[in-house]
Amino acid sequence: MKLLKFQQPNCAPCTQVSEYLDNKNIKYEKINVWDDPEQASNYGIMSVPVVILLSSDGVEIRRSVGFKPQELNEFAEFFQQ
């Protein structure tokens, strides 16, 4: 499993998501949509923050847009199994 977090600088909700994931000790890959617009486009990112859970073969399992602790808790469960 792999977790991608799409963000941009000076985004308060993006910071909240990072702090939440860090507090849960969940490893994730940060992708700055301004620095990597091609990858953001490949995943259909229209706003940030977006967290995407990928299977081991790269298939999207779940997606969360914005800072939604309940959804992030569900993501955390995948990494606690």
Side-chain angles (χ1 to χ4, degrees), residues 54-71:
L54 300 175
S55 67
S56 57
D57 58 353
V59 174
E60 183 174 328
I61 297 172
R62 297 198 63 181
R63 178 182 291 232
S64 177
V65 179
F67 177 59
K68 297 178 183 157
Q70 178 62 33
E71 289 181 10

Side-chain angles (χ1 to χ4, degrees), residues 12-26:
C14 298
T15 301
Q16 290 175 302
V17 170
S18 290
E19 289 172 354
Y20 181 90
L21 295 173
D22 291 343
N23 286 336
K24 294 281 188 178
N25 293 319
I26 297 172

